[in-house]
């Protein structure tokens, strides 16, 4: 309680804007559906107009597509605005930046480049990012002042680490570098964990899985109150493993370097709630047109809070579905299914068909049989399902069913086989669901 009291005093004194934003965000959760929809539509329209007025990239994009300023200002036209791709942003460079917002607010952020070249964007220092994660932590029963553990790529060293520790005092944060997860590093992390007893683990999926796998081999657990994962698709077997080792519910989140805190699971675990008072998430077809609930499509996100480097109808490179109806938790926010793979996570057939949906569910008939899987396609279109079984040699039947399901999905005589492996390699704590070397068409 002392840590929470000190945190509340610090934020009320030094982070008054974030505290006000947090209070407003909590109120927004319980708005009526019509009132909330109007709030979200208005915010989307405002950021699109801001982009038109202050960014030469957007002004050229919209006028080139036949939209005058008055058209952009009309909320009903928003879903017709052109979708913005990573390639377009990369090519545009600083032309995306707003000319009406101070450059001092621009915080450089860079994607990992797992699907191609890294993309450099700017986050907005004035955005209420802290309030966003305070709110989501609240869904999980965690207070921002609670002691926490992190498995990320970025570690602070030297003076930066000292400043960070002073800022968070008396709360304690421990870290494991996701780029260097060795048995020795995990054991050091475990020793720190047992000293601090963090109430929340925030981690890349693959990093958390590596630690949990290491501990499961010797029957050890690291109890906590909640586990938050991001940066890759959470496979059913991974959730089971993590909940067993960390003795806590696992909460899937959807975040990115370009747009932090897009969506997250609540305590009901009925899909991911979109933080729709701060972001608009659309699920669209190949033409950028919104799809009906239940239809899988490309994830397109608009960030209401980034005025420095506007991201309006930005194609994330991910795929998901919009969920219909209200969550059992009662919050008004719309929901999406967990991201089912990136647009680059594609298996191809010799005739040129592209298979994206359904690949993550190959083991859903027996999700406890495996901890992890990866699909690797060779240049000759043959496919190998690499999987890590929960018990060595114990997932043969489930693997055979997965092979049959994928053969049926692909057809065309594509060779499919399953291979048991000890681990799935990752880069920087992240692993791809699909690695394909197949050409676009035969």
């Amino acid at each position: 309680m002392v840590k929470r009291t000190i945190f509340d005093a610090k934020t009320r004194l030094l982070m008054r804007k974030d505290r006000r934003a947090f209070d407003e965000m909590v109120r927004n959760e319980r708005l009526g559906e019509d009132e909330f929809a109007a709030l979200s539509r208005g915010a989307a329209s405002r950021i699109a107009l801001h982009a038109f007025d202050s960014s030469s990239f957007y002004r050229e994009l919209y006028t080139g597509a036949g939209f005058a300023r008055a058209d952009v200002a009309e909320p009903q036209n928003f879903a017709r605005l052109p979708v913005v791709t990573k390639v377009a942003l990369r090519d545009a460079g600083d032309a995306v930046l707003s000319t009406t917002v101070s450059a001092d607010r621009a915080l450089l952020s860079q994607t990992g480049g797992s699907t191609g070249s890294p993309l450099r964007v700017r986050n907005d220092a004035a955005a209420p990012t802290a309030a966003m994660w305070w709110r989501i932590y609240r869904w999980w029963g965690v207070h921002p002042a609670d002691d926490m553990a992190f498995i990320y790529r970025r570690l602070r060293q030297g003076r930066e680490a000292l400043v960070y520790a002073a800022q968070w005092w008396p709360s304690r944060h421990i870290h494991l570098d996701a780029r260097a997860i060795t048995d020795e590093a995990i054991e050091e992390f475990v020793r720190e964990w047992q000293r601090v007893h963090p109430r929340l683990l925030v981690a890349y999926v693959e990093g958390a899985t590596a630690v949990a796998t290491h501990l499961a081999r010797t029957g050890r657990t690291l109890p906590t109150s909640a586990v938050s994962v991001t940066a890759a698709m959470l496979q059913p077997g991974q959730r089971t493993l993590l909940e067993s080792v960390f003795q806590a519910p696992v909460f899937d989140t959807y975040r990115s370097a370009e747009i932090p805190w897009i969506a997250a699971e609540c305590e009901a675990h009925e899909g991911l709630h979109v933080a729709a008072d701060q972001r608009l998430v659309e699920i669209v077809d190949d033409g950028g047109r919104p799809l009906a609930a239940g239809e899988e499509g490309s994830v397109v996100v608009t960030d209401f809070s980034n005025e420095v480097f506007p991201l309006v109808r930005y194609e994330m490179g991910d795929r998901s579905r919009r969920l219909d109806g209200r969550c059992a938790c009662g919050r008004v926010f719309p929901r999406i299914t967990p991201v089912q793979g990136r647009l680059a996570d594609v298996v191809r057939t010799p005739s040129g068909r592209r298979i994206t949906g359904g690949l993550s569910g190959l083991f859903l008939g027996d999700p406890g049989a495996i901890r992890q899987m990866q699909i690797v396609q060779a240049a000759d279109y043959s496919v190998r399902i690499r999987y890590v079984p929960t018990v060595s040699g114990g997932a043969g039947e489930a693997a055979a069913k997965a092979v049959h399901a994928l053969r049926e999905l692909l057809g065309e005589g594509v060779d499919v086989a399953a291979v048991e492996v000890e681990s799935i390699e990752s880069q920087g704590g992240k692993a791809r669901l699909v690695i394909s070397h197949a050409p676009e068409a035969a």
Side-chain angles (χ1 to χ4, degrees):
M1 287 300 295
V2 173
K3 292 177 182 177
R4 296 186 179 190
T5 300
I6 292 174
F7 176 88
D8 287 341
K10 280 183 177 180
T11 55
R12 292 187 188 282
L13 180 64
L14 303 174
M15 303 178 70
R16 294 177 184 176
K17 182 179 178 181
D18 290 282
R19 293 289 311 198
R20 288 194 298 270
F22 171 74
D23 292 341
E24 182 177 354
M25 289 181 194
V26 172
R27 288 194 298 270
N28 289 343
E29 295 179 12
R30 304 297 173 178
L31 292 177
E33 290 188 9
D34 290 344
E35 185 179 3
F36 187 81
L39 182 154
S40 187
R41 284 195 304 269
S45 183
R46 282 193 296 275
I47 194 68
L49 189 60
H50 167 73
F52 183 94
D53 287 339
S54 68
S55 165
S56 60
F57 166 75
Y58 281 97
R59 190 157 49 251
E60 292 176 12
L61 178 68
Y62 293 162
T63 55
F67 291 89
R69 186 181 188 279
D71 300 322
V72 177
E74 290 292 336
Q76 64 265 28
N77 290 331
F78 183 84
R80 295 172 48 227
L81 295 174
V83 168
V84 176
T85 66
K86 292 180 187 289
V87 172
L89 285 187
R90 188 177 296 121
D91 291 345
D94 288 348
V96 180
L97 287 165
S98 169
T99 58
T100 62
V101 177
S102 171
D104 293 340
R105 283 169 49 180
L107 303 175
L108 180 63
S109 180
Q110 181 168 298
T111 66
S114 60
T115 60
S117 303
L119 171 67
R120 293 161 62 91
V121 301
R122 309 298 196 285
N123 296 145
D124 192 337
T129 305
M132 294 181 208
W133 58 263
W134 294 349
R135 172 170 63 182
I136 293 174
Y137 282 8
R138 182 173 176 266
W139 298 354
W140 306 336
V142 174
H143 191 280
D146 292 342
D147 295 331
M148 298 179 192
F150 299 86
I151 305 175
Y152 272 177
R153 283 184 308 203
R154 182 176 185 272
L155 292 186
R156 296 170 178 84
Q157 302 291 340
R159 183 177 183 278
E160 185 184 15
L162 293 174
V163 171
Y164 178 85
Q167 288 174 333
W168 279 101
W169 180 90
S171 302
R172 295 172 296 178
H173 292 177
I174 64 173
H175 299 82
L176 174 62
D177 189 345
R179 298 164 300 184
I181 298 182
T182 62
D183 288 351
E184 293 76 14
I186 292 174
E187 289 298 334
E188 175 60 27
F189 185 65
V190 169
R191 286 190 288 272
E192 286 191 85
W193 185 294
Q194 292 170 337
R195 176 177 58 83
V196 173
H197 300 292
R199 294 195 70 247
L200 173 67
L201 169 64
V202 181
Y204 293 150
V205 171
E206 306 303 334
T209 298
V211 172
T213 299
H214 176 87
L215 292 170
R217 291 195 189 106
T218 54
R220 288 180 289 172
T221 61
L222 282 181
T224 187
S225 296
V227 176
S228 165
V229 293
T230 190
M233 184 192 65
L234 175 65
Q235 299 176 27
Q238 289 174 310
R239 186 189 289 270
T240 300
L241 171 67
L242 297 178
E243 290 184 343
S244 172
V245 169
F246 294 107
Q247 303 284 287
V250 173
F251 298 95
D252 198 1
T253 64
Y254 185 32
R255 303 156 60 183
S256 74
E258 307 97 295
I259 306 177
W261 294 109
I262 299 169
E265 282 187 300
C266 71
E267 66 275 18
H269 298 280
E270 296 182 358
L272 278 66
H273 283 288
V274 175
D277 52 352
Q278 304 297 320
R279 287 93 172 81
L280 174 67
V281 170
E282 301 170 84
I283 308 299
V284 305
D285 63 17
D286 291 342
R289 294 175 293 271
L291 293 168
E295 295 187 61
E296 183 181 279
S298 176
V299 179
V300 169
V301 183
T302 298
D303 185 347
F304 302 157
S305 59
N306 189 345
E307 297 180 347
V308 169
F309 192 93
L311 291 170
V312 182
R313 303 204 78 208
Y314 171 59
E315 185 177 62
M316 297 293 298
D318 299 315
R319 298 184 69 80
S320 182
R321 293 178 173 87
R322 185 165 58 84
L323 291 172
D324 215 352
R326 193 76 168 258
C327 180
C329 73
R331 296 180 180 90
V332 70
F333 298 151
R335 294 168 298 141
I336 58 173
T337 61
V339 172
Q340 290 298 302
R342 306 189 66 83
L343 293 176
D345 288 340
V346 173
V347 175
R348 298 180 174 88
T349 69
S351 69
R353 282 193 303 124
R354 296 159 53 91
I355 310 296
T356 55
L359 297 175
S360 63
L362 293 177
F363 283 87
L364 281 181
D366 190 3
I370 68 164
R371 288 178 174 163
Q372 201 174 359
M373 75 161 188
Q374 184 178 66
I375 298 169
V376 181
Q377 185 171 39
D380 65 358
Y381 297 96
S382 63
V383 174
R384 295 296 177 264
I385 304 172
R386 305 174 72 243
Y387 67 93
V388 180
T390 301
V391 178
S392 180
E397 184 177 348
K401 291 179 179 178
V403 167
H404 177 74
L406 189 53
R407 280 179 181 156
E408 290 290 308
L409 192 62
L410 293 171
E412 302 184 31
V414 174
D415 176 37
V416 180
V419 181
E420 178 179 324
V421 298
E422 291 186 358
S423 63
I424 302 294
E425 293 182 4
S426 64
Q427 293 184 342
K430 301 180 182 181
R432 293 282 300 279
L433 172 64
V434 177
I435 297 175
S436 180
H437 303 287
E440 288 285 350

